[in-house]
Amino acid sequence: MTAEYKNWQEKFVDINFTDQRLKSRFFKIIDAFAASPGKSTWAATGSRSSAKAAYRFFSNSEISKDELLDSISRATVEKIKCADAEWILAVQDTTAVGFGDRKAIQGMGYYCSTEQRGMLVHSCIAVTDQGIPLGIIYQETNTREKPKDDSQTKEQKRSRPIEEKENFRWLDSMRETLLRMPA
């Protein structure tokens, strides 16, 4: 593990867990994920018991996804303030995460235009003008309750208010990013 993965406590000083063991577990999990970003939870954490501990952490009722993302966002804003860059770009993208036909996974809906289960993850990351990523500014996950409806005509799709369209996430992400960014 390189030195850049060692100072999470400095970056996330505002994370407030009711139990210090949760905070310790959180830092172990992000150390593992940061050292192996392309690997599954089991492969990144190194053992079945560590993977189970990570899954238990994320399913703990005292852990709030929104609180974790807000803390990550605040840490990113601090990096932006210290960045030696003329420009900071806020780059957005949506990723479809598929889980096949596993119906037992809780919280999964349909994604893309298939019958497969999954979710859409829309992220906005801060990147310097030299292409150095600074972190996540905003992120949201969406699921569809039913497969994507391709039966509407182009005119019917165009006539719907923007707030009812999935593409609204781009505008919502931009609004959230502007709220979080320093002057």
Side-chain angles (χ1 to χ4, degrees):
M1 188 177 304
T2 64
E4 71 179 298
Y5 301 132
K6 299 261 185 200
N7 60 353
W8 297 115
Q9 288 85 345
E10 295 172 18
K11 303 296 182 198
F12 298 100
V13 293
D14 64 342
I15 288 184
N16 188 17
F17 293 115
T18 56
D19 186 337
Q20 284 300 85
R21 293 174 295 178
L22 291 174
K23 191 171 192 174
S24 173
R25 173 60 59 193
F26 174 69
F27 291 128
K28 284 181 185 177
I29 292 168
I30 61 173
D31 276 342
F33 288 164
S36 304
K39 294 184 179 177
S40 67
T41 300
W42 186 90
T45 57
S47 71
R48 182 179 174 151
S49 61
S50 294
K52 281 185 98 169
Y55 292 135
R56 277 194 308 271
F57 174 85
F58 290 116
S59 65
N60 187 322
S61 62
E62 293 186 27
I63 305 300
S64 162
K65 176 188 81 163
D66 291 335
E67 187 177 325
L68 290 175
L69 284 171
D70 285 346
S71 180
I72 291 167
S73 176
R74 288 189 295 273
T76 299
V77 168
E78 291 306 311
K79 285 182 185 178
I80 290 169
K81 290 177 183 176
C82 299
D84 183 26
E86 190 173 333
W87 293 90
I88 301 293
L89 305 172
V91 181
Q92 297 186 51
D93 194 24
T94 301
T95 302
V97 181
F99 292 93
D101 61 357
R102 298 183 195 124
K103 293 177 177 40
I105 299 176
Q106 295 179 352
M108 292 299 106
Y110 295 93
Y111 82 108
C112 298
S113 59
T114 69
E115 292 293 319
Q116 292 189 359
R117 308 293 276 177
M119 66 179 149
L120 300 169
V121 181
H122 188 80
S123 304
C124 182
I125 62 170
V127 181
T128 68
D129 52 358
Q130 295 90 25
I132 300 169
L134 300 174
I136 296 173
I137 301 170
Y138 178 72
Q139 187 175 73
E140 68 179 48
T141 57
N142 298 19
T143 58
R144 295 185 184 120
E145 293 181 22
K146 55 187 177 183
K148 188 174 180 181
D149 181 13
D150 290 328
S151 65
Q152 291 183 330
T153 65
K154 284 185 181 181
E155 189 55 42
Q156 288 172 319
K157 290 177 184 179
R158 285 185 187 136
S159 67
R160 288 187 6 231
I162 186 70
E163 294 82 8
E164 293 178 12
K165 298 178 182 180
E166 284 187 2
N167 287 344
F168 183 68
R169 66 177 159 248
W170 294 85
L171 297 175
D172 194 38
S173 181
M174 183 175 64
R175 181 183 53 79
E176 286 291 333
T177 298
L178 290 172
L179 289 173
R180 296 162 193 251
M181 295 300 291

